[in-house]
Amino acid sequence: MIYTGLTGWGDHYDLYTNGVRGTDKLGTYSSFFPTVEVDSTYYAVQSETVWEKWIRDTPDNFRFVVKAYAGMTGQLMEKPPFPDELTMFEAFRTSLNPLIESGKLAMILCQFPPWFDCTKEHVMKLRNVREMLSDVPVAIEFRHQSWYSDQFREQTLAFLHEHDYIHSVCDEPQAGEGSIPIVPVATHKEKTLVRLHGRNKAGWRKETAGADWRKVRYLYDYNQKEIQEWLTRVEELHETSTDVYVIWNNNSGGHAAGNARTFLDMAGITYEGLAPKQLSLFEEER
């Protein structure tokens, strides 16, 4: 199956009617898409109670791509609120128990930072992560070009395959070492992740975008030719991976939802079992 969704569900205002209250947004979102990437887990380990609510708010066939806590991928600026790394991983993994038991966990996404380059130390880090998350599906996303250099590309893909890692295939601006090329290769026979960040080269790095860097980094509207190119890649990935998750992250200007729906239209994909569409403010309930 090809799952299509967005990063988060709170800010996609074009999906919501005037009758939607804040607490209804996930339910409304799940009437359009069968999957979502949860980014709040990057900033804090969520409680099981929170997960239980999100599970109730979505239909049975809905799937969550859960972004790993920042401390797990070495991106926490302050000292982690855990005594050691093992405790941190165990807390994160335990918090996902309701999601795992419900069958709604698609994967954990470990997105490593631009300074996480291809070195022996970092390869060992990847081995340790897999050991600590051995019983759940895990996707790896790199943001340093060295992993896909001529010297290491095939070794990187072979390593991901050997350790049962899901490959995160990315589309992003080509802006030096802190960005990666498009490498449409599946390393896991059951799942592949595609993340579309846009191609705003000027906004990708703080050095070029300035103080508003985070507001404009994902400012990009894919045209139909670009969406068609990605549809072709996704269909090819689907030939070697049972499920492909396509996540649109180009939402600085609110383009993600529209691009995702265009992708579905071009692919001729419709989903069964989505949540019922929310009633508008003035629609009579039947």
Side-chain angles (χ1 to χ4, degrees):
M1 178 171 169
I2 297 174
Y3 290 83
T4 303
L6 315 176
T7 51
W9 59 84
D11 297 328
H12 306 289
Y13 300 110
D14 53 329
L15 298 179
Y16 306 131
T17 67
N18 291 332
V20 175
R21 300 181 301 277
T23 55
D24 294 328
K25 285 185 176 180
L26 178 55
T28 302
Y29 172 96
S30 64
S31 69
F32 291 94
F33 301 110
T35 189
V36 73
E37 180 182 305
V38 182
D39 288 346
S40 58
T41 48
Y42 175 82
Y43 301 99
V45 176
Q46 302 298 315
S47 69
E48 293 188 37
T49 301
V50 169
W51 280 116
E52 288 165 356
K53 180 184 184 307
W54 291 344
I55 291 166
R56 291 194 302 270
D57 288 346
T58 52
D60 291 343
N61 61 354
F62 194 84
R63 300 292 181 266
F64 291 87
V65 175
V66 182
K67 199 167 184 180
Y69 176 55
M72 297 163 61
T73 53
Q75 298 178 80
L76 201 62
M77 296 298 103
E78 64 274 7
K79 184 179 179 181
F82 301 97
D84 53 57
E85 186 177 57
L86 180 59
T87 303
M88 175 173 60
F89 271 81
E90 288 179 345
F92 182 85
R93 167 63 184 78
T94 299
S95 74
L96 299 181
N97 279 338
L99 189 60
I100 295 166
E101 292 167 3
S102 71
K104 291 187 177 184
L105 174 66
M107 67 193 73
I108 296 169
L109 166 62
C110 291
Q111 181 193 65
F112 286 92
W115 58 85
F116 190 84
D117 56 352
C118 187
T119 64
K120 187 173 183 178
E121 176 189 359
H122 290 155
V123 170
M124 184 57 67
K125 169 69 175 178
L126 294 177
R127 293 180 188 274
N128 292 340
V129 168
R130 201 67 192 99
E131 288 178 7
M132 289 186 283
L133 297 174
S134 61
D135 64 334
V136 288
V138 181
I140 294 292
E141 180 170 325
F142 298 112
R143 283 202 165 171
H144 194 282
Q145 284 189 358
S146 59
W147 296 95
Y148 300 106
S149 66
D150 291 342
Q151 180 181 3
F152 295 125
R153 181 182 188 273
E154 295 308 317
Q155 293 179 68
T156 294
L157 296 171
F159 177 88
L160 295 178
H161 175 74
E162 178 185 353
H163 290 81
D164 208 30
Y165 270 130
I166 298 162
H167 188 207
S168 178
V169 180
C170 294
D171 187 25
E172 59 191 44
Q174 299 306 290
E177 288 185 344
S179 60
I180 60 171
I182 297 172
V183 183
V185 177
T187 61
H188 193 284
K189 66 180 180 180
E190 294 181 5
K191 298 179 181 182
T192 297
L193 177 63
V194 173
R195 298 182 79 234
L196 301 155
H197 301 298
R199 300 176 181 179
N200 183 4
K201 186 174 181 179
W204 189 248
R205 299 173 58 193
K206 186 177 182 179
E207 295 83 351
T208 56
D212 290 335
W213 169 57
R214 295 192 180 279
K215 293 181 180 180
V216 302
R217 191 177 200 199
Y218 303 109
L219 179 60
Y220 193 79
D221 187 9
Y222 285 90
N223 61 43
Q224 289 203 355
K225 179 176 181 292
E226 292 165 338
I227 294 174
Q228 179 59 56
E229 289 170 350
W230 269 106
L231 174 57
T232 300
R233 292 188 185 103
V234 168
E235 290 174 339
E236 290 173 351
L237 288 167
H238 196 214
E239 293 176 2
T240 53
S241 197
T242 304
D243 293 324
V244 181
Y245 288 78
V246 184
I247 300 294
W248 299 80
N249 190 36
N250 57 319
N251 201 50
S252 291
H255 298 113
N259 286 173
R261 293 166 78 175
T262 298
F263 175 88
L264 292 174
D265 288 343
M266 294 174 71
I269 295 174
T270 56
Y271 296 114
E272 296 182 0
L274 296 178
K277 291 288 192 298
Q278 294 281 344
L279 297 172
S280 70
L281 185 61
F282 299 102
E283 187 174 351
E284 182 181 357
E285 187 170 3
R286 300 180 185 276

